[in-house]
Amino acid sequence: MPDRYAVFGNPISHSKSPQIHAEFARQTGQDLTYAAVLVALDGFAPAVDAFRVGDGRGINVTVPFKLEAFQYAQNLTERARHAQAVNTLIFDGISVLGDNTDGAGLVRDIEHNLGFKIAGKDVLLMGAGGAARGVLLPLLMCKPQSLTIANRTPQKAQDLAQHFAAHGTVRASDYVGLAGDRYDLVINATSSSLNDELPPLPPRIMAPGALAYDMMYGKGLTPFLAFAEANKAQTLADGLGMLVEQAAEAFYVWREVRPQTRPVIERLRKS
Ligand code: ATR
């Protein structure tokens, strides 16, 4: 019997994870199945229990269950503990390990695929919700010169900055307070692109050679990326690379084999 994996979410029909993991398995010759499971909004824990009893080896977790997966896990990796959210569960037949591969996926896309080294750079992270929290530790591990968290509700940015202060130079700001600043890397981890909105960034925020990264994908040129282009960012990127890289990191955690992501990103980009 092949090892069983799945992605749990609600909704789930749009998920690209089954396609991505099928390609990874084919590439690496791993014998496994990977399904998309629509889980009832009040039924996460029983659904995971049932999957484990049926010899499931691991699941990815997407909206809206990342917090419940965090609570479900008996043990946590450091990056999941700091993210306070889990997107990958690993079952070894006895215990349940919770991991979070989102931040590693973002960093790998930025550094490896886009060729942009974070070390020594001034980084602006917009947003202070779950998406921002999930990527903070891996970003700080890259040793940026500074990392500023900007949020509409400044208290949430301050709370996050305080939580991560031991891991690097982190400061919090509202958007008005960014006036006059320049950043080498600006990451949109807000949900603004979902609603075709733009966080109220001051102009001239992009330093020469800046990379503007929207963690959203499939939305074309989001208002943030259009702003970045108009304000002379050198490189624009959406979150498709991050999506594939977080999947590759989960695949690696489960199978100890690193799949090639570039052909998968290119194929998804075309479709
Ligand atoms: P997620 O899990 O995607 O992070 P979330 O926890 O609801 O979702 O957080 C959404 C984030 O996007 C928040 O930081 C929110 O700012 P507030 O905390 O001030 O609400 C931010 N956000 C959403 N729409 C925005 C907009 N139009 N401009 C700026 N920030 C926005």
Side-chain angles (χ1 to χ4, degrees):
M1 283 285 283
D3 288 341
R4 293 171 58 238
Y5 297 88
V7 56
F8 281 23
N10 187 338
I12 201 63
S13 59
H14 66 287
S15 174
K16 298 190 193 304
S17 294
Q19 187 189 342
I20 294 171
H21 282 277
E23 290 201 41
F24 288 168
R26 211 166 24 241
Q27 242 188 48
T28 57
Q30 297 279 309
D31 189 21
L32 58 86
T33 65
Y34 189 107
V37 178
L38 177 68
V39 176
L41 290 176
D42 60 354
F44 179 75
V48 182
D49 290 345
F51 190 79
R52 286 171 61 202
V53 168
D55 264 353
R57 298 291 303 275
I59 61 169
N60 285 136
V61 181
T62 187
V63 177
F65 299 120
K66 289 186 186 182
L67 221 64
E68 278 180 79
F70 175 76
Q71 283 150 358
Y72 186 95
Q74 293 153 344
N75 302 302
L76 293 164
T77 60
E78 192 193 10
R79 59 194 184 184
R81 196 157 36 78
H82 283 286
Q84 291 181 3
V86 157
N87 78 338
T88 303
L89 288 170
I90 301 120
F91 312 132
D92 63 5
I94 306 159
S95 67
V96 178
L97 177 64
D99 196 1
N100 191 315
T101 65
D102 284 332
L106 173 70
V107 163
R108 177 115 181 139
D109 193 34
I110 290 173
E111 295 219 311
H112 188 78
N113 299 339
L114 299 165
F116 183 98
K117 295 289 165 241
I118 296 170
K121 300 290 190 344
D122 291 313
V123 178
L124 173 62
L125 181 68
M126 297 190 288
R133 180 170 200 122
V135 300
L136 262 162
L137 184 67
L139 279 175
L140 286 168
M141 303 290 267
C142 295
K143 303 267 180 259
Q145 172 156 281
S146 69
L147 195 155
T148 302
I149 306 167
N151 201 44
R152 256 183 342 197
T153 315
Q155 186 59 48
K156 280 160 71 178
Q158 277 156 23
D159 291 347
L160 270 190
Q162 204 172 350
H163 178 91
F164 286 94
H167 299 275
T169 311
V170 197
R171 78 176 183 108
S173 179
D174 57 12
Y175 287 97
V176 174
L178 299 175
D181 291 359
R182 299 278 180 284
Y183 295 94
D184 305 302
L185 170 60
V186 182
I187 301 169
N188 185 12
T190 75
S191 50
S192 62
S193 300
L194 274 179
N195 306 315
D196 269 328
E197 292 169 0
L198 173 68
L201 279 170
R204 293 184 293 282
I205 194 99
M206 305 285 168
L211 166 61
Y213 196 106
D214 201 322
M215 282 168 51
M216 201 65 59
Y217 67 90
K219 282 273 190 178
L221 203 62
T222 63
F224 164 62
L225 291 179
F227 167 93
E229 189 175 46
N231 285 276
K232 303 202 167 48
Q234 180 169 300
T235 312
L236 310 178
D238 70 6
L240 185 67
M242 175 181 174
L243 171 78
V244 176
E245 293 296 347
Q246 63 77 28
E249 183 72 14
F251 192 90
Y252 177 73
V253 166
W254 288 328
R255 311 300 298 183
E256 295 178 354
V257 188
R258 205 170 271 288
Q260 282 184 14
T261 50
R262 206 170 286 269
V264 181
I265 294 171
E266 279 168 13
R267 199 156 315 136
L268 286 175
R269 182 78 64 202
K270 277 192 203 122
S271 67

